[in-house]
Amino acid sequence: MPSDTTQAESTVLATGRRLGWMDTVRGTAILLLLLWHASAIPAFFETPMPDLIRSANAFFFPYRMPTLMLLSGMLLTRSLRKPLPAYYAGKIAMVLWPYLVWLIIAKIVFLDMPGVPWWHWHAWYAASYLWFLFFIGVYYAAAPLLKRLPSWVPIALGAVAGAFLEQGSTEQRMGYFAIFFFAGSWIANTSGLVDRLARPRAALLLAIPAIAFGAASVIWTESLQFLVWGAPLSIAGALVLIAAFARPRIDGPITRGLQFLGRSSIVFYVSHFPIMALLSQSSLAEGSFLLLATLNLAASVLLGSVLAVWKSAPPAIWLFQAPRWITATSTKVVSMITIRGEISTAQVGARTSQSTRSSE
């Protein structure tokens, strides 16, 4: 039987208390992302990638970003408990702001979109490696409109979009990843589910299809990407990772390092790509893929760690969070829109009632 403490932790998910296992899982996914980009970015700039490294990265492809998306969804219910103005202002400050800031940095450092001027909307639409922030911004924007629906409805809507939109398009991928985001919310709201999944037998049963899907991704890397039918297998892999860290509680330098990455996941996520792109375009490790990949990983971890330590102090904080005056202005604007919407709804209701009485 799970302990009372474990049961309390599995319900998150809805409290404001930080969960160690969630930071550890998120940190593991971020580390896998850093390892992937440390080798993929040099390949993008025409430095050949060894097949062994390509295969290792392909094995983890179905689990890296789906796990991060699942964990983001697990925190949705807690966010939705805030008043609507505070909710949307918070997402503007913590999601939209860093997306715009780092997209501008990316455009300066490496991002070139031929034929797309900077003022065109497409230049700011789910661009480059920052698509994850764009997607969760869309999901957070839609979540208050969907919260009264059964929890399976947003998952089903994402599955339909992922199945029927053009394969590989931005909109199709947005639908595909919505499955993980809203599945994370459902998992968080299902009392005791994390505890049950953390049991060895359940974790083993989940690991079998997850390993098989990872192996299949090594063989059919391109053809298995972003397929809706594969989403449950990716969720199984994410749940295996959650089960590994949810219980028993593992402590040590590796776990603490992963938790550090997890607590500052946004910092490492937005900052790693520009530094890797700069190094990959330089001649520091020309001709040596292994040295370049190592430099990429070391530099991104070092830069990310420095930024993570100073992320709450100006001016570093403005790289990851909007200034207070923007947040305050956003709150006021959303409040005004909400009030006007409520007034309009009340007026429509009053006119409808009056028309009904007149017809009688």
Side-chain angles (χ1 to χ4, degrees):
M1 291 292 291
S3 67
D4 292 340
T5 302
T6 307
Q7 287 179 343
E9 288 193 353
S10 71
T11 58
V12 64
L13 284 176
T15 69
R17 187 158 56 89
R18 192 162 205 113
L19 301 184
W21 66 259
M22 182 172 278
D23 286 334
T24 309
V25 174
R26 186 183 288 108
T28 302
I30 286 292
L31 179 60
L32 290 173
L33 177 67
L34 295 180
L35 289 168
W36 158 236
H37 279 161
S39 55
I41 294 175
F44 178 79
F45 290 107
E46 301 181 351
T47 300
M49 183 190 304
D51 289 339
L52 180 61
I53 294 178
R54 188 183 302 276
S55 296
N57 283 321
F59 179 87
F60 290 108
F61 180 86
Y63 310 116
R64 286 186 296 262
M65 302 313 292
T67 298
L68 288 173
M69 198 64 80
L70 194 79
L71 294 175
S72 295
M74 283 185 168
L75 301 175
L76 176 61
T77 298
R78 191 181 74 188
S79 293
L80 286 172
R81 287 181 174 158
K82 298 176 181 178
L84 206 56
Y87 171 85
Y88 278 117
K91 301 317 170 191
I92 291 171
M94 305 297 289
V95 179
L96 178 60
W97 176 267
Y99 174 79
L100 294 175
V101 167
W102 286 92
L103 183 53
I104 292 171
I105 292 173
K107 288 178 180 296
I108 294 171
V109 172
F110 71 92
L111 187 58
D112 181 27
M113 301 177 68
V116 182
W118 66 268
W119 61 85
H120 194 278
W121 68 269
H122 196 266
W124 305 90
Y125 179 68
S128 189
Y129 75 104
L130 295 164
W131 62 265
F132 177 85
L133 280 180
F134 187 93
F135 283 11
I136 63 171
V138 172
Y139 305 149
Y140 276 125
L145 306 176
L146 302 171
K147 68 178 181 179
R148 296 187 183 279
L149 299 175
S151 57
W152 59 267
V153 172
I155 302 173
L157 291 174
V160 169
F164 291 101
L165 294 177
E166 181 185 354
Q167 182 66 27
S169 67
T170 299
E171 294 74 22
Q172 186 269 336
R173 291 188 296 117
M174 194 181 300
Y176 170 79
F177 280 104
I179 298 172
F180 301 98
F181 183 84
F182 290 105
S185 178
W186 174 76
I187 290 170
N189 289 323
T190 304
S191 179
L193 181 58
V194 172
D195 298 329
R196 294 194 293 273
L197 294 172
R199 294 170 182 168
R201 181 178 297 180
L204 179 60
L205 291 175
L206 290 170
I208 294 171
I211 292 173
F213 193 45
S217 296
V218 174
I219 302 172
W220 300 288
T221 305
E222 298 295 328
S223 58
L224 291 182
Q225 292 182 7
F226 314 124
L227 295 179
V228 168
W229 66 261
L233 299 175
S234 293
I235 291 174
L239 293 176
V240 169
L241 194 57
I242 290 173
F245 292 112
R247 194 173 66 186
R249 288 161 180 75
I250 304 171
D251 194 19
I254 294 178
T255 301
R256 289 192 290 272
L258 292 173
Q259 288 178 350
F260 175 73
L261 289 174
R263 286 193 297 271
S264 300
S265 57
I266 179 66
V267 174
F268 288 94
Y269 176 77
V270 297
S271 67
H272 79 279
F273 207 103
I275 187 65
M276 289 186 181
L278 282 173
L279 288 172
S280 297
Q281 294 176 84
S282 71
S283 57
L284 288 177
E286 189 172 359
S288 175
F289 174 87
L290 184 59
L291 178 57
L292 180 54
T294 302
L295 284 174
N296 277 344
L297 181 62
S300 62
V301 171
L302 178 60
L303 173 65
S305 298
V306 171
L307 291 173
V309 170
W310 294 97
K311 66 181 179 181
S312 298
I317 190 174
W318 298 321
L319 292 171
F320 314 108
Q321 181 177 337
R324 290 182 179 178
W325 68 268
I326 292 181
T327 304
T329 302
S330 301
T331 303
K332 292 178 181 178
V333 170
V334 176
S335 296
M336 291 173 60
I337 294 172
T338 303
I339 292 171
R340 289 181 180 178
E342 290 173 350
I343 292 173
S344 299
T345 302
Q347 289 174 342
V348 170
R351 284 196 294 266
T352 302
S353 299
Q354 186 177 4
S355 299
T356 302
R357 288 195 298 270
S358 298
S359 63
E360 292 174 350

